[in-house]
Amino acid sequence: MPTEKFVQVGRVAYVAYGKEQGKLVTIVNLVDATRLLVDGPCSGVTRQVISLKTLYLTKFTINIPINAREATIKKQWAKAEIDKKWKESKWYKRLQQKQTRENLTDFERFKVMRAKQARNRMITLEVGKLKLKL
C-alpha cells in the first residue's frame, strides 16, 4: 500500500526535535532534498528553514501556493480547521496521555499500578469462569 504522506507545500508537520518541539508547522517551500521552509503562525513558529529529519508529517494539508504569506497560511489553517482536527486525532491524545503520565507523582503511579492489578485480576477470573463453562 503506497504512502499518502508526501513532502509537499501545504503539508502540516509536527516538529519532533529542536527548539520548536511539539508544535505544528506548515511546509511553505522545499529548499533542497533535506531542508524545508516552514511557517507556523497559529502555533507561534516563525518562518524558518528546518531539516526534514526533525519533522513528522501529519495527514493534514492546507491549500496554499509556494512561498505563501503568513496571513494566507493563517486563513487556510482556520478554513481547514487544522487545530480542531489535530486535537481530535489519536496522535494528539497519545501525546497528552504521555505527558500526563510523566507528570504523575510516585503515589499516583502506585495507585495506577494497583488499579491495573485489580483490573487484570477481574479479567482473569472472568476468563476462568468462561473456560469452566466450555
Side-chain angles (χ1 to χ4, degrees), residues 15 20 25 34-38 48-52 54-55:
V15 182
E20 306 294 349
V25 295
T34 60
R35 297 181 303 151
L36 307 168
L37 180 65
V38 298
Q48 58 189 299
V49 176
I50 293 184
S51 173
L52 181 60
T54 64
L55 298 177

Side-chain angles (χ1 to χ4, degrees), residues 20-117:
E20 306 294 349
Q21 181 178 2
K23 297 180 180 177
L24 292 179
V25 295
T26 305
I27 298 173
V28 179
N29 200 349
L30 285 68
V31 177
D32 58 26
T34 60
R35 297 181 303 151
L36 307 168
L37 180 65
V38 298
D39 195 0
C42 297
S43 58
V45 180
T46 57
R47 186 171 292 221
Q48 58 189 299
V49 176
I50 293 184
S51 173
L52 181 60
K53 293 179 182 179
T54 64
L55 298 177
Y56 293 145
L57 300 178
T58 66
K59 62 182 178 181
F60 310 120
T61 58
I62 58 176
N63 189 17
I64 58 170
I66 295 175
N67 292 329
R69 293 183 179 191
E70 187 174 326
T72 307
I73 296 170
K74 199 179 272 191
K75 209 181 298 181
Q76 291 297 324
W77 187 285
K79 183 179 177 184
E81 298 178 334
I82 298 298
D83 287 328
K84 180 183 172 199
K85 291 177 183 176
W86 172 246
K87 290 204 183 339
E88 292 173 354
S89 70
K90 289 181 184 178
W91 191 353
Y92 175 79
K93 291 176 184 175
R94 194 171 57 238
L95 288 171
Q96 291 300 102
Q97 185 179 27
K98 182 179 178 186
Q99 183 180 12
T100 303
R101 285 184 180 163
E102 287 175 353
N103 294 332
L104 290 178
T105 63
D106 187 41
F107 183 61
E108 290 170 335
R109 280 193 299 275
F110 173 75
K111 290 194 299 188
V112 169
M113 178 192 73
R114 296 297 290 183
K116 284 182 180 179
Q117 287 175 346

